[in-house]
């Protein structure tokens, strides 16, 4: 059922559109909280033969998929475009050509219907996904955002109020999973494959470095860990070792750094609740380790369902609802922004 606040509320029924990477997604969210539909057309099969996302191909697939995905999201929600109160679209960061497809479709829809439209930071979207969980984390909370493109710690004090406390200085955690899987020819995307193989491996057999664990900052670095795997592989060519043990050892190194830095951030900022966001939040070992560490430290923890963690448009609609209500608007001349300044928010004049 659609909860109608009042007919002039731009956040009453928001159409969200997301096309920053390799998922064409659209969703309808009522009141920033109730997901009426969330449709995701994944391009994983298109990019798999190349072992990674091919930007040009992603844009072309979005061109084919985006309009039908929006129609499907409206149909699934049982609403027409006439009933939509506002449009929220990912403006950045992401692949520029991919972003432009969603941005232009959103602009065209809003313009043709005279609807308010707002641009949303993809990172803020991942954080807003937490507000769609059955039990959203209480503010303030400490969010570990781990995806294929980002690894950041955010102090979230309220809807749309987040401060980035630390981030990766090179590769993102998901990127490291994908690169290690590619190195061993395990398949694409690598995160879920390593997660599965690691489950039958022993993480103590192959010891790998824990980058920046004791550097006293809340920043991360994963490219050195990937290089350590490259060196391990070269040094052990022809020797007998189990790939499952390598996967478990690598995963343990990533997870230990992520969990310890998250706990350190919570302690430094006196925050009593942790939350996990982004595609890597699907990782079983990360979920278990964070839950255990939070428990031991007497902290609360929110581990949202995987479909809220991976790229989707419901999270963009949820974040956009807040900004639409606050009166922010996207000029029809606005451009897509492939890289955001430090902090993960869109510039105020974007
Ligand atoms: O959030 P997402 O869907 O897209 C980005 O915004 O990047 O995250 C995708 C990333 C990929 O790097 C993928 O390998 C990783 O999340 N991933 C995982 C798992 N499932 C997805 N990494 C580790 N373990 C998993 N189970
Ligand atoms: Zn994402």
């Amino acid at each position: 059922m659609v909860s109608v606040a009042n007919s002039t509320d731009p956040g009453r029924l928001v159409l969200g559109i997301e096309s920053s990477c390799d998922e064409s997604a659209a969703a309808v969210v009522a009141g920033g909280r109730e997901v009426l539909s969330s449709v995701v057309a994944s391009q994983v099969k298109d990019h798999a033969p190349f072992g990674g996302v091919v930007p040009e191909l992603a844009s072309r697939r979005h061109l084919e998929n985006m309009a039908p995905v929006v129609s499907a999201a409206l149909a699934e929600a049982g609403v027409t475009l006439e009933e939509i109160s506002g449009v929220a679209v990912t403006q950045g960061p992401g692949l520029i050509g991919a972003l432009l497809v969603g941005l232009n479709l959103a602009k065209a829809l809003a313009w043709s219907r005279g609807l308010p439209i707002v641009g949303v930071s993809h990172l803020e979207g991942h954080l807003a996904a937490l507000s769609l969980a059955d039990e959203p984390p209480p503010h303030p909370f400490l969010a570990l955002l781990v995806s294929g493109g980002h690894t950041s710690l955010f102090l979230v004090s309220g809807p749309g109020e987040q401060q980035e406390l630390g981030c990766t200085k090179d590769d993102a955690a998901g990127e490291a999973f994908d690169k290690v899987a590619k190195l061993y020819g395990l398949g694409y995307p690598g995160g879920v494959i390593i997660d599965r193989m690691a489950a039958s491996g022993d993480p103590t057999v192959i010891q790998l470095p824990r980058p920046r664990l004791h550097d006293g900052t809340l920043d991360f670095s994963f490219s050195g860990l990937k290089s350590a795997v490259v060196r391990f592989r070269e040094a052990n060519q022809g020797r007998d070792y189990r790939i499952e043990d390598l996967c478990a050892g690598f995963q343990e190194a990533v997870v230990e750094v992520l969990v310890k830095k998250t706990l350190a951030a919570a302690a430094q900022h006196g925050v009593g609740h942790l939350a996990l966001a982004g595609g890597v939040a699907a990782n079983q070992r990360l979920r278990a380790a964070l839950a255990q560490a939070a428990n031991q430290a007497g902290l609360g923890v929110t581990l949202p369902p995987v479909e809220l963690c991976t790229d989707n448009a419901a999270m963009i609609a949820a974040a956009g609802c807040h900004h639409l209500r606050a009166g922010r608007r996207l000029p029809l001349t606005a451009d897509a922004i492939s890289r955001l300044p430090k902090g993960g928010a869109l510039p105020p004049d974007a």
Side-chain angles (χ1 to χ4, degrees):
M1 218 190 66
V2 181
S3 35
V4 180
N6 69 61
S7 58
T8 57
D9 171 15
R12 180 176 48 85
L13 208 53
V14 177
L15 172 66
I17 293 181
E18 152 68 36
S19 69
S20 65
C21 191
D22 60 345
E23 327 277 3
S24 314
V28 178
V29 175
R33 177 81 188 98
E34 197 185 348
V35 182
L36 302 186
S37 65
S38 179
V39 179
V40 181
S42 171
Q43 303 177 3
V44 161
K45 283 204 187 82
D46 298 295
H47 301 285
F50 305 98
V53 177
V54 182
E56 171 79 14
L57 187 56
S59 311
R60 287 168 187 270
R61 288 293 170 268
H62 285 309
L63 266 183
E64 292 164 6
N65 295 338
M66 218 46 256
V69 163
V70 168
S71 300
L74 291 169
E76 250 180 55
V79 301
T80 63
L81 204 48
E82 283 67 35
E83 292 168 89
I84 292 294
S85 62
V87 178
V89 59
T90 306
Q91 196 178 355
L95 303 170
I96 198 75
L99 285 164
L100 283 170
V101 177
L103 186 67
N104 278 325
L105 179 60
K107 281 186 192 178
L109 288 172
W111 179 74
S112 66
R113 305 285 156 156
L115 290 170
I117 175 170
V118 73
V120 171
S121 149
H122 182 81
L123 300 191
E124 207 184 310
H126 273 300
L127 297 177
L130 291 160
S131 67
L132 298 171
D134 285 342
E135 277 189 47
H139 294 110
F141 63 86
L142 207 291
L144 171 65
L145 169 48
V146 265
S147 71
H150 309 279
T151 303
S152 294
L153 281 165
F154 283 96
L155 175 60
V156 186
S157 344
E161 282 172 46
Q162 56 269 324
Q163 182 194 350
E164 193 178 44
L165 305 175
C167 63
T168 181
K169 294 296 161 197
D170 41 58
D171 291 355
E175 193 178 352
F177 270 94
D178 295 340
K179 284 180 175 171
V180 167
K182 191 171 181 179
L183 180 71
Y184 276 91
L186 302 179
Y188 169 85
V192 65
I193 299 170
I194 291 187
D195 189 354
R196 205 174 48 233
M197 294 186 79
S200 52
D202 180 345
T204 62
V205 174
I206 299 167
Q207 290 285 340
L208 291 163
R210 270 64 172 154
R212 295 186 83 128
L213 185 55
H214 301 294
D215 71 348
T217 77
L218 297 175
D219 290 325
F220 303 93
S221 162
F222 292 108
S223 86
L225 175 57
K226 177 204 64 195
S227 305
V229 176
V230 172
R231 284 195 302 276
F232 171 85
R233 186 169 177 268
E234 281 167 3
N236 289 281
Q237 248 161 20
R239 294 213 184 104
D240 206 19
Y241 64 92
R242 294 178 71 228
I243 302 293
E244 289 83 354
D245 291 339
L246 183 273
C247 288
F250 164 76
Q251 179 175 271
E252 202 58 28
V254 175
V255 167
E256 186 180 334
V257 178
L258 292 176
V259 170
K260 290 203 167 145
K261 293 236 171 187
T262 305
L263 268 288
Q268 277 174 34
H269 292 267
V271 180
H273 198 97
L274 311 177
L276 204 46
V280 183
N283 187 269
Q284 293 307 317
R285 178 67 193 127
L286 176 59
R287 292 174 89 88
L290 192 67
Q292 193 190 12
N295 231 335
Q296 274 169 3
L299 305 174
V301 63
T302 300
L303 306 170
V306 171
E307 62 273 18
L308 284 178
C309 296
T310 49
D311 285 352
N312 65 84
M315 67 185 198
I316 302 302
C321 175
H322 166 76
H323 289 298
L324 283 165
R325 284 177 167 165
R328 252 193 61 210
R329 296 292 180 264
L330 181 86
L332 288 182
T333 50
D335 204 352
I337 306 172
S338 65
R339 291 177 71 91
L340 292 186
K342 189 171 162 41
L346 292 169
D349 56 350

